[in-house]
Amino acid sequence: MSHQPKATRSNAPQENGGEEEEPLPQGWEMKLDPNGRRYYVDHNNRTTSWKRPKPLPAGWEQRLDPRGRQYFVDHNTRTTTWQQPTTQNVSEFQEWRRQLSTNQAANRQNLENRYANSAVGPVSTSSAATSSSSEEPLPSGWERRVLDNESRREYYVNHETRTTQWEDPRVQIKKASNLPLPPGWEERYTAEGTKYFVDHNTRSTTFQDPRVAVSQQKQRL
């Protein structure tokens, strides 16, 4: 059951001079007390307030957790937060995301250009290709290790598939980049600019390029 807020003349709501007001958020209602003063009922939390609530940005929803605490759901990004969103801070965050995405896309293009440039010329040996790719970071989920102190031979661990191989995965990716994806696969990028692959056959995703799977099996230790 909601109750009217206790207030004096100093904190009672004031008229806005007839200006058009934004609609109330979902679950809110405006009422008048016996003196004709406006107050607002939050049916979500069963509370009242003299202050008119600001509407949530598009795609947002207010909810309560099992302990009765208020939180907010962003259906645009499928995330939640305790902080009440406003149109301004959401707009600023989206602008920051756009700038981040632009910068990451530019960095990704620079990396692809460097891979393309390193492939031009008479370089044909695996060792030379490994040397040219060693400047780039390993793909997500990969680790480089040394076999033993005597031979100092390097190999690579794929923690996603729990396999190992001799060949640098960056070289494999570069070799497979010109090949078509297997049937039912699709290449996508996350909001942060990280490449991943969608297997529509099994409705699953992976950071592992499916085009290099065969060569990885041949190179396992």
Side-chain angles (χ1 to χ4, degrees):
M1 178 177 180
S2 62
H3 300 279
Q4 296 177 10
K6 297 179 180 180
T8 63
R9 290 182 179 273
S10 60
N11 62 10
Q14 302 296 321
E15 296 295 334
N16 62 359
E19 295 179 1
E20 184 178 354
E21 295 177 329
E22 295 180 330
L24 291 171
Q26 182 180 1
W28 284 81
E29 178 186 4
M30 185 191 77
K31 290 187 176 183
L32 297 177
D33 71 0
N35 296 321
R37 297 175 301 180
R38 293 186 301 175
Y39 67 98
Y40 301 91
V41 181
D42 180 3
H43 294 289
N44 306 295
N45 298 320
R46 298 182 180 180
T47 58
T48 58
S49 172
W50 291 114
K51 186 176 180 181
R52 183 183 181 88
K54 294 183 178 180
L56 294 173
W60 285 80
E61 178 188 358
Q62 176 182 316
R63 291 183 182 177
L64 294 177
D65 69 3
R67 298 175 60 182
R69 296 176 299 180
Q70 176 181 271
Y71 68 99
F72 301 90
V73 181
D74 181 3
H75 294 288
N76 305 295
T77 60
R78 298 181 180 180
T79 57
T80 59
T81 178
W82 295 111
Q83 182 179 2
Q84 181 169 352
T86 64
T87 301
Q88 180 179 354
N89 61 32
V90 169
S91 176
E92 292 174 351
F93 177 74
Q94 290 175 344
E95 178 61 26
W96 174 81
R97 288 283 297 271
R98 280 193 293 268
Q99 293 178 355
L100 179 64
S101 178
T102 300
N103 293 338
Q104 290 178 333
N107 292 336
R108 184 173 66 246
Q109 185 62 48
N110 289 337
L111 289 176
E112 291 176 353
N113 291 339
R114 292 176 66 179
Y115 275 128
N117 293 335
S118 65
V120 176
V123 178
S124 59
T125 64
S126 176
S127 61
T130 302
S131 176
S132 65
S133 65
S134 61
E135 300 175 359
E136 310 298 341
L138 286 168
S140 176
W142 284 86
E143 179 188 358
R144 181 174 60 188
R145 293 181 180 178
V146 177
L147 185 61
D148 53 59
N149 293 330
E150 182 177 352
S151 67
R152 304 299 298 175
R153 185 176 182 183
E154 295 180 345
Y155 67 99
Y156 299 87
V157 181
N158 184 346
H159 293 288
E160 183 176 338
T161 60
R162 297 182 180 181
T163 57
T164 58
Q165 63 185 50
W166 296 115
E167 188 174 8
D168 191 325
R170 294 165 293 191
V171 175
Q172 290 180 319
I173 293 174
K174 184 165 59 177
K175 291 178 180 178
S177 61
N178 294 325
L179 299 176
L181 288 169
W185 284 81
E186 178 186 0
E187 179 182 310
R188 292 183 182 177
Y189 290 91
T190 66
E192 291 73 26
T194 304
K195 181 190 295 185
Y196 69 100
F197 299 89
V198 181
D199 182 1
H200 295 287
N201 305 296
T202 60
R203 297 183 180 180
S204 60
T205 59
T206 179
F207 289 108
Q208 179 73 38
D209 192 327
R211 293 170 293 190
V212 302
V214 175
S215 60
Q216 287 176 1
Q217 292 175 358
K218 294 181 179 179
Q219 294 293 333
R220 289 178 185 174
L221 291 178

